Amino acid sequence: MDGEADGSASVSEDNGRRRRVHGMLKLYYGLNEEGKAVEQPESLDPCDINGPHFDPEVYLNKLRRECSLAELMDQETCMVKQIRSLDSDMQTLVYENYNKFISATDTIRKMKNDFKKMEDEMDCLSANMAAITDFSARISGTLQDQHTQITKLSGVHTLLRKLQFLFELPARLNKCLELQAYSQAVSSHRRARCVLQQYSHLPSFKGIQDDCHAIMDKLAQELRQKFRDGGTSAKDLSECVELLLQLDEPAEELCDKFLSHARSRLESDLQGLEAEIRPSVLPSPTSNTDILEFIDRGCNEFVSSLCLVITSYQELFINHAQSGELLHAFVDDLAARYFSLVERRIQEEKSVGDNSLLVRALDRFHRRLQAVAKLLPGSDVPNKGTEIVVRAATERVKQYLSALQSFYMDSLTDVRQALATPRLSVAGDAPTSLPELLSSLSASILNQIKSVLASVHLFTAKDITFSNKPYFKGEFCSQGVRESLVVSFIKFVCQSSRQFCESAGDKGGSTPPALLLLLSRLCLDYETSTISYILTLTDEQFLAQHHSPVTPVTSLCTEAREAAQKLLNHYVKVQGLIISQMLRKSVETRDWVNTIEPRNVRAVMKRVVEDTTSIDVQVGLLYEEGVRKAHSSDSSKRTFSVYSSSRQQARYAASYTPSAPMDTNLLSNIHKLFSERIDIFSSVEFNKVSVMTGIIKISLKTFLECVRLRTFGRYGLQQIQVDCHYLQMYLWRFVSDENLVHFLLDEIVGSSAHRCLDPAPMEQSVIEVICERG
């Protein structure tokens, strides 16, 4: 390894030295890196040792005059080194290029020998050319007299051959007629027709002309019969028409007949395509071919035959005045029937699983119709084909929208089933499943949207011809995908969610309250982030250029928020009505006049507190806590006056006697005028505290209204006191303002007192003992 390193180092050192030598020599001779002379300004300084005007005497005198002895010696030493270095470099270059000099010398010597041999060969060639020229001149002089005679004989020979062709023409035409070589027969007759017409006054030529006319009439009859049969291929049919035109047949009649025969052949292709569609209508076990095979068959058979007919017709009747109009009408009629079959077959593509076959089929259909546009400019066939492609893509978008809507409704059905049958493994699992259900529902919907967008994106792939057309891409991306698919689905989610709020009944119909809560959170998430993400993803994938007006993101977000608000309001109403129903039944089914002295809190009040706690946990799984007002230190120990609806009326209790109920009612009504109005069914905010406040307001307001319709005895009033104190001990924790609970409970106790026949309230200490005992 050390030897290799030393060797590489020595080689690099030699290369560096060699480059340095070459550089110095180039610098000396005034050459650049490419070896070309560099134009440098000419130096006039006699002391410039590298200049052309260098003077040694002047240079030495200058050195002796300006330098000391030591500097002179150093200068001498330096110049000696440079001289030796240049001599050594010159020798090195001579040694290195010695072989090249020898090779160049040999090459020059060889070139001299080769050029000498070439000069000898050129001299020989020049002599031969001179001999050939002399020999050719002597031959031309010898044959000069016979040249005119030979030319005359050649002309006579050609004329005889033509006459022989004319005399043999009837036999030749009969032979071609027997062999059905119609094209050769017509060609031979066309070559001789002018000559026969010119010399028809001669009896011999007249006879030949009559025989040829009879044979060609017979040939024309056979061609017409063959043309009428129409059993030949399109190529043979075109050849037959061309021969008849050369035989001066009327072009108008041939146009009609040609198109008639072509129609029969093209209609057979259309019938074959229709036969592939028909089994889907009739109860037949046969299965249809896929859409790509159907389009391939239509393109390879019908469209290809149509293009061949157009080409043949234009070549045959290019000079006919009415040919263009007839051809356009013919093509439009048959193309309309073909398009009808294609649309029927496309409508059978109901499955939205794989989109690639349909896209490839439409692309192939669109490509092949471009050939018709090139062959028949001005035809409306390509435009109508494009309309079919656009309609198919639009219909596909509608199918995907329907699939998304079905998927969403199926997902909601799964959620309802999951809510109806919670997991039974652990009691606490059922509440925790609510955010899991929301996450699963949101993720599955988003993944389905992405999958649908990926499928629809195939319509705009770069290798699809119609995708880059401005009439397709701009409108399809903005109005088709963005508006008709994505925006429509988002609106469907919001609208279908709002429909759950339209159910009738005291308990909100059959919609589970948890589903209302979940959907409200889903719509709120859509408003905050999901809608913006979906539309951004759509615009990025489809590069939608919004030339036409589109639905703004803010409008969709507003709709989603309104749906979320309505769902949450309805959830509050449903849960409030469920609790209200228990309270109503508990009030209406009890005899409050003849009840016994209360010893316990009624079971329904415990159930109300349990259900409220359960609702609080449920709402807390999906919504934030919210803001509460500061609680007083004695919130759970608050007492109620049986004569008033607030603490301020307590001072009027001493003046209340059974003989003066009107005065007490008057005081209560006066206080209500100055009390803060409570809106029971107001909209709630998107937080747990606001939701619980709304539910409790509805429940207690129902309790109050039911109490106002009943008459109470002494113990009935005391039972209401106990129940209200128990509710106050727990419900104040759930609301944003505890004074709201206190006010409503005050109203309930006060109303009970007003409706009591013997208002004798229970001692507060006894109430507290009963409530604490539960």
Side-chain angles (χ1 to χ4, degrees), residues 424-445:
L424 303 176
S425 58
V426 183
D429 281 349
T432 58
S433 65
L434 200 58
E436 294 174 3
L437 286 174
L438 175 63
S439 176
S440 175
L441 177 63
S442 180
S444 61
I445 293 173

Side-chain angles (χ1 to χ4, degrees), residues 55-269:
D55 190 346
E57 292 296 331
V58 176
Y59 181 71
L60 289 174
N61 289 335
K62 180 180 179 182
L63 288 177
R64 285 195 297 269
R65 194 168 51 249
E66 296 177 355
C67 301
S68 61
L69 180 61
E71 292 175 345
L72 288 173
M73 294 180 67
D74 292 340
Q75 188 71 20
E76 179 187 12
T77 303
C78 180
M79 293 183 68
V80 169
K81 287 182 179 180
Q82 290 180 359
I83 292 170
R84 290 176 179 174
S85 176
L86 289 173
D87 289 342
S88 176
D89 293 342
M90 183 63 73
Q91 291 177 3
T92 301
L93 285 175
V94 171
Y95 292 151
E96 289 178 352
N97 293 284
Y98 178 74
N99 290 333
K100 297 179 182 179
F101 294 153
I102 297 301
S103 177
T105 303
D106 294 341
T107 302
I108 292 171
R109 186 182 299 112
K110 185 177 180 181
M111 286 175 65
K112 287 182 178 180
N113 294 333
D114 291 342
F115 276 117
K116 183 177 181 181
K117 182 178 180 181
M118 189 179 297
E119 288 177 357
D120 294 341
E121 291 179 353
M122 290 298 293
D123 292 339
C124 180
L125 179 61
S126 178
N128 291 336
M129 290 295 293
I132 291 171
T133 302
D134 181 57
F135 187 68
S136 176
R138 283 186 291 169
I139 291 175
S140 297
T142 304
L143 298 177
Q144 182 66 33
D145 297 336
Q146 300 178 359
H147 180 68
T148 304
Q149 187 177 359
I150 292 173
T151 303
K152 185 183 294 184
L153 291 175
S154 177
V156 172
H157 177 70
T158 302
L159 180 58
L160 290 175
R161 288 183 59 187
K162 291 181 179 180
L163 291 174
Q164 184 181 5
F165 174 79
L166 291 175
F167 286 117
E168 293 178 353
L169 182 59
R172 186 189 299 271
L173 293 178
N174 283 324
K175 187 66 174 177
C176 291
L177 197 61
E178 292 176 4
L179 299 176
Q180 295 185 351
Y182 303 126
S183 178
Q184 184 177 353
V186 173
S187 177
S188 300
H189 181 262
R190 286 171 62 86
R191 287 169 55 192
R193 184 165 54 180
C194 295
V195 177
L196 292 175
Q197 184 67 28
Q198 183 179 358
Y199 296 101
S200 60
H201 60 282
L202 299 176
S204 58
F205 286 95
K206 180 64 175 176
I208 295 173
Q209 186 182 23
D210 294 339
D211 293 341
C212 290
H213 281 171
I215 296 172
M216 296 311 294
D217 289 340
K218 184 178 180 181
L219 185 145
Q221 290 179 0
E222 292 188 7
L223 288 175
R224 281 192 290 270
Q225 183 61 38
K226 183 178 179 182
F227 186 69
R228 282 192 294 269
D229 294 340
T232 56
S233 63
K235 182 179 179 181
D236 294 339
L237 194 64
S238 300
E239 183 180 354
C240 184
V241 172
E242 184 177 2
L243 293 177
L244 288 172
L245 287 173
Q246 292 178 8
L247 294 175
D248 297 330
E249 288 289 324
E252 293 82 357
E253 182 181 351
L254 291 177
C255 284
D256 294 336
K257 291 182 178 180
F258 179 83
L259 293 180
S260 176
H261 289 301
R263 180 184 295 274
S264 63
R265 299 183 62 85
L266 291 172
E267 284 181 347
S268 65
D269 294 337

Side-chain angles (χ1 to χ4, degrees), residues 347-560:
Q347 290 173 0
E348 295 179 3
E349 293 296 309
K350 302 295 185 182
S351 174
V352 292
D354 185 10
N355 223 17
S356 58
L357 279 180
L358 176 62
V359 174
R360 288 167 56 195
L362 292 176
D363 179 55
R364 197 159 301 175
F365 173 74
H366 185 268
R367 286 176 187 265
R368 295 300 294 269
L369 289 182
Q370 303 311 306
V372 179
K374 294 179 181 178
L375 293 174
L376 194 62
S379 174
D380 200 35
V381 170
N383 294 334
K384 291 182 178 178
T386 301
E387 291 174 1
I388 291 177
V389 173
V390 173
R391 283 198 296 270
T394 304
E395 185 63 28
R396 200 63 166 175
V397 168
K398 292 180 180 178
Q399 293 174 2
Y400 275 112
L401 175 61
S402 178
L404 278 177
Q405 293 173 348
S406 300
F407 176 82
Y408 175 71
M409 299 308 295
D410 292 342
S411 299
L412 289 188
T413 303
D414 295 340
V415 170
R416 295 185 69 160
Q417 292 177 353
L419 292 173
T421 57
R423 290 173 296 194
L424 303 176
S425 58
V426 183
D429 281 349
T432 58
S433 65
L434 200 58
E436 294 174 3
L437 286 174
L438 175 63
S439 176
S440 175
L441 177 63
S442 180
S444 61
I445 293 173
L446 190 58
N447 290 335
Q448 193 70 12
I449 292 175
K450 291 180 178 179
S451 175
V452 167
L453 288 178
S455 298
V456 177
H457 194 263
L458 294 176
F459 282 98
T460 61
K462 293 182 178 179
D463 57 340
I464 303 300
T465 54
F466 59 79
S467 67
N468 297 318
K469 303 297 181 181
Y471 56 76
F472 178 83
K473 189 164 188 178
E475 191 72 16
F476 177 75
C477 292
S478 63
Q479 296 300 314
V481 178
R482 190 186 191 277
E483 293 297 309
S484 299
L485 180 60
V486 178
V487 173
S488 296
F489 177 68
I490 294 173
K491 290 183 177 180
F492 172 79
V493 171
C494 297
Q495 293 170 0
S496 61
S497 300
R498 292 165 68 99
Q499 290 176 357
F500 286 104
C501 303
E502 298 173 359
S503 55
D506 293 338
K507 295 185 179 181
S510 61
T511 305
L515 180 62
L516 297 173
L517 185 66
L518 185 144
L519 289 178
S520 69
R521 185 68 216 192
L522 177 69
C523 292
L524 186 63
D525 291 342
Y526 267 58
E527 185 261 339
T528 54
S529 61
T530 308
I531 290 177
S532 177
Y533 171 75
I534 292 174
L535 290 181
T536 301
L537 181 66
T538 303
D539 292 342
E540 288 177 353
Q541 286 190 9
F542 292 87
L543 300 175
Q545 300 176 357
H546 303 152
H547 300 300
S548 53
V550 295
T551 306
V553 178
T554 54
S555 174
L556 293 175
C557 291
T558 301
E559 186 172 351

